């Protein structure tokens, strides 16, 4: 199933792509080893890595939290519908791949507003025959539009997992909290909120250095405390699941993260620091490495 966003003329999409300014989705793609980015995005990622050499662990552990949360909800909680806002570029183990591997009838709607993401959205829309996926070209701050479009694929009379993974720190308070409330209000009882967010609570010097590299490039970059992250759940009337709002690597990490494939030393030696990131084992992590809170909440 494909949404209206996918019918857009590729030439028109190309006109929307600004290759002179870094974009959060594409910088994230750099850290995950993707290829759908531009020199300006790689420059931004390299600057962030220089500011915090272990900062790639935030990105990779954020992604692995998403994997664990979707697995938990699909396998153990019977959730069959996912609304993933701030999708980013297609990367291995997207939400629909994780969910449909466990529940082939799972339905997933992706939302992003970067034309590069939209240009690659067809790669996301590879649902198995029993399930469905769709893509909406929209901004998080347009919740009414998102909900209207998502209703073409999702049944809002049945529980939905709303995924806001590493997206809200790009939104200022005056929009962020009302948007989450509006989205959650539209969901039925039994729905879930999967949320992760950058913070300066844990290792402030490191993350503030990264924040400076991004704000210089024009990004909104709001670091929120544990109380401020918890507020997203409380103001929306959600009960936070165990273990609560915790650093990402403490959220049900008992089985660890997948280990990347081994690479010959001479091959690694020919890569720059950013390229090597995807081959590093993120199980080798300490509390001093992480600046991301993660949590899942339930709507009663």
């Amino acid at each position: 199933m494909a949404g209206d966003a996918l019918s857009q003329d590729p030439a028109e999409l190309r006109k929307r792509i600004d290759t002179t300014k870094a974009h959060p989705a594409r910088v994230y793609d750099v850290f995950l080893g993707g290829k759908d980015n531009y020199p300006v995005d790689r420059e931004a990622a390299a600057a962030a890595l220089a500011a915090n050499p272990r900062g790639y662990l935030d990105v990779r552990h954020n992604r692995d939290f998403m994997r664990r949360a979707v697995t938990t909800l699909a396998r153990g909680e019977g959730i069959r519908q996912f609304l993933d806002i701030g999708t980013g570029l297609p990367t291995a183990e997207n939400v629909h791949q994780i969910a449909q591997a466990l529940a082939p009838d799972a339905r997933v709607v992706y939302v992003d507003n970067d034309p590069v993401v939209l240009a690659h959205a067809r790669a996301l829309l590879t649902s198995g025959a029993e399930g469905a996926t769709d893509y909406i070209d929209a901004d998080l701050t347009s919740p009414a539009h998102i909900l209207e479009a998502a209703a073409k694929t999702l049944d809002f009379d049945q529980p939905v997992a709303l995924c806001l993974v590493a997206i809200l720190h790009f939104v200022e308070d005056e929009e962020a909290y009302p948007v989450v409330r509006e989205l959650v209000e539209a969901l039925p009882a039994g729905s879930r909120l999967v949320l992760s967010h950058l913070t300066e609570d844990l290792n402030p010097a490191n993350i503030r250095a990264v924040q400076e590299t991004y704000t210089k490039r024009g990004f909104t970059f709001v670091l929120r405390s544990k109380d401020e992250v918890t507020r997203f759940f409380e103001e929306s009337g959600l009960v936070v699941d165990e273990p609560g709002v915790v650093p990402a690597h403490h959220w049900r990490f008992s089985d660890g993260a997948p280990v990347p494939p081994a690479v010959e030393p001479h091959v690694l030696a020919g890569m720059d620091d950013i390229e090597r990131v995807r081959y590093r084992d993120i199980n080798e992590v300490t509390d001093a490495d992480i600046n991301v809170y993660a949590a899942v909440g339930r709507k009663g």
Side-chain angles (χ1 to χ4, degrees):
M1 182 181 296
D4 295 340
L6 298 186
S7 65
Q8 293 189 28
D9 183 345
E12 290 301 313
L13 282 178
R14 286 193 291 273
K15 290 178 183 176
R16 285 175 53 192
I17 297 172
D18 183 356
T19 62
T20 67
K21 183 179 178 182
H23 188 284
R26 302 195 306 258
V27 175
Y28 192 71
D29 182 64
V30 174
F31 278 110
L32 293 175
K35 302 297 182 185
D36 301 311
N37 48 69
Y38 296 94
V40 67
D41 305 305
R42 293 190 285 275
E43 178 189 335
L49 194 64
N52 180 15
R54 300 275 284 174
Y56 69 90
L57 288 164
D58 281 332
V59 178
R60 296 271 308 280
H61 271 279
N62 175 75
R63 186 77 181 183
D64 199 61
F65 157 69
M66 185 271 288
R67 177 188 65 82
R68 299 193 308 275
V70 171
T71 298
T72 297
L73 296 180
R75 176 186 289 154
E77 303 290 340
I79 299 294
R80 296 293 180 264
Q81 302 189 107
F82 296 83
L83 177 56
D84 181 10
I85 303 179
T87 300
L89 284 147
T91 303
E93 291 276 89
N94 297 291
V95 170
H96 78 281
Q97 293 168 317
I98 301 165
Q100 291 180 357
L102 299 166
D105 60 338
R107 306 172 74 81
V108 179
V109 172
Y110 295 103
V111 183
D112 210 299
N113 69 335
D114 179 20
V116 174
V117 176
L118 178 56
H120 290 84
R122 288 178 179 85
L124 290 170
L125 301 178
T126 55
S127 172
E130 297 178 57
T133 61
D134 201 358
Y135 182 88
I136 300 169
D137 179 19
D139 189 275
L140 170 63
T141 57
S142 301
H145 171 59
I146 290 172
L147 292 166
E148 180 182 6
K152 297 175 183 177
T153 301
L154 305 179
D155 177 0
F156 282 96
D157 290 327
Q158 298 297 321
V160 175
L162 170 63
C163 302
L164 299 176
V165 177
I167 183 66
L168 288 166
H169 44 248
F170 297 117
V171 186
E172 298 286 0
D173 284 356
E174 61 269 20
E175 289 187 300
Y177 290 102
V179 160
V180 174
R181 287 197 302 272
E182 185 170 345
L183 288 167
V184 172
E185 185 177 343
L187 304 181
S191 292
R192 313 303 280 271
L193 173 61
V194 177
L195 184 151
S196 64
H197 200 296
L198 284 170
T199 183
E200 61 181 349
D201 284 0
L202 306 172
N203 300 289
N206 289 347
I207 195 61
R208 286 172 188 160
V210 173
Q211 180 185 39
E212 183 178 356
T213 70
Y214 285 149
T215 55
K216 283 181 177 177
R217 288 164 173 79
F219 291 2
T220 297
F221 206 79
V222 184
L223 302 173
R224 293 188 171 97
S225 68
K226 183 174 182 177
D227 285 347
E228 289 168 327
V229 173
T230 302
R231 180 182 162 194
F232 285 112
F233 294 90
E234 291 179 343
E235 288 195 358
S236 299
L238 302 174
V239 176
V240 180
D241 292 349
E242 291 295 332
V245 177
V246 296
H249 64 307
H250 289 308
W251 198 91
R252 306 190 187 185
F253 194 58
S254 57
D255 295 330
V259 177
V263 180
E264 293 292 335
H266 73 277
V267 176
L268 279 177
M271 299 178 182
D272 63 25
D273 287 344
I274 284 289
E275 291 174 314
R276 294 188 191 110
V277 160
R278 62 176 158 161
Y279 297 107
R280 292 176 177 164
D281 184 355
I282 66 170
N283 291 286
E284 299 173 4
V285 62
T286 71
D287 289 351
D289 293 320
I290 297 300
N291 302 280
V292 180
Y293 281 128
V296 174
R298 179 193 302 266
K299 184 172 182 178

